[in-house]
Amino acid sequence: MIQRIAPRKRIIRMLAGLTVVICCRTDLLAQNQSPADPPKANTRSRVTHILGFEGISNNAQGDLSVQGDVLRFQKTEAAAPAQIAVSSIQDVTIGAEDKQVGGVPMTLVKTAAPYGGGRVMSLFSHKKFDTVTLEYLDANGGFHGAIFQLSKGQGQVLGSELEAIGAHVSVLTTETSKQGTQEATNEVK
């Protein structure tokens, strides 16, 4: 007696077999790959100079890089770079921030959303970024500071490069975020 397999069961069996083949194939490909290249030193990051470097306007876009023992910010290829020696850096502080994007149009849409939908929209209208604050001494011994805004994750990369050269790096904890979350839960109750 020949047993007939229902079309639904046949599809399930084919998908199960295909899944096993794909998993095996992925394992084989992973074994054949060569080890990843080590991260390049002296990487350039596209940043926003919030304030601090002399001769550079506030909120200027440019490239921030560590070249040898110098931290260099350059707005364009033709512009003269602002640079400081890594040995003159007293402290590097790395923090994480977020800001709401969308401006006035997003605010209007959120207020017009029914049944508290604006709160849900607020969850998705935030952009996260890293901030790097440098405290350094100039050639005359004057104390200065500079603040940069980088893409999320780039602050740690820059901090690691500076730490490898000998700069003191500290990372801010997000105590304010924890406090804000506690306040929000108390508000909802």
Side-chain angles (χ1 to χ4, degrees):
M1 178 183 257
I2 299 176
Q3 219 175 27
R4 293 189 116 180
I5 300 175
R8 187 173 181 172
K9 287 185 178 180
R10 186 180 310 150
I11 291 173
I12 291 172
R13 285 184 181 176
M14 285 191 316
L15 287 176
L18 185 60
T19 303
V20 169
V21 170
I22 289 173
C23 289
C24 291
R25 180 71 180 153
T26 305
D27 287 343
L28 290 175
L29 287 175
Q31 290 175 358
N32 290 336
Q33 290 181 349
S34 62
D37 294 332
K40 292 181 181 178
N42 302 335
T43 57
R44 296 184 106 168
S45 299
R46 191 75 178 158
V47 302
T48 301
H49 167 258
I50 304 298
L51 59 96
F53 267 178
E54 197 171 321
I56 304 293
S57 60
N58 295 348
N59 296 322
Q61 300 282 326
D63 293 326
L64 188 66
S65 62
V66 178
Q67 298 176 352
D69 62 343
V70 174
L71 179 69
R72 178 175 291 169
F73 177 80
Q74 191 164 10
K75 286 173 62 172
T76 61
E77 292 295 325
Q83 60 188 24
I84 58 172
V86 175
S87 60
S88 69
I89 296 176
Q90 300 297 305
D91 192 25
V92 178
T93 306
I94 301 170
E97 301 284 332
D98 69 339
K99 65 180 174 181
Q100 192 163 351
V101 294
V104 174
M106 180 62 85
T107 304
L108 292 174
V109 170
K110 287 190 309 186
T111 56
Y115 306 111
R119 288 184 179 180
V120 174
M121 293 172 80
S122 290
L123 294 173
F124 301 105
S125 63
H126 285 271
K127 181 179 179 186
K128 296 185 179 199
F129 57 91
D130 288 346
T131 57
V132 173
T133 305
L134 302 171
E135 297 173 1
Y136 64 96
L137 300 174
D138 66 6
N140 298 325
F143 188 71
H144 295 277
I147 303 172
F148 296 97
Q149 177 180 326
L150 295 86
S151 299
K152 184 178 179 184
Q154 293 297 314
Q156 291 293 337
V157 173
L158 179 64
S160 298
E161 284 186 42
L162 291 172
E163 195 170 33
I165 298 174
H168 177 264
V169 177
S170 56
V171 179
L172 290 178
T173 58
T174 56
E175 290 297 323
T176 55
S177 298
K178 292 177 185 175
Q179 180 182 7
T181 305
Q182 181 62 30
E183 289 173 2
T185 27
N186 290 340
E187 184 179 305
V188 173
K189 292 179 183 178

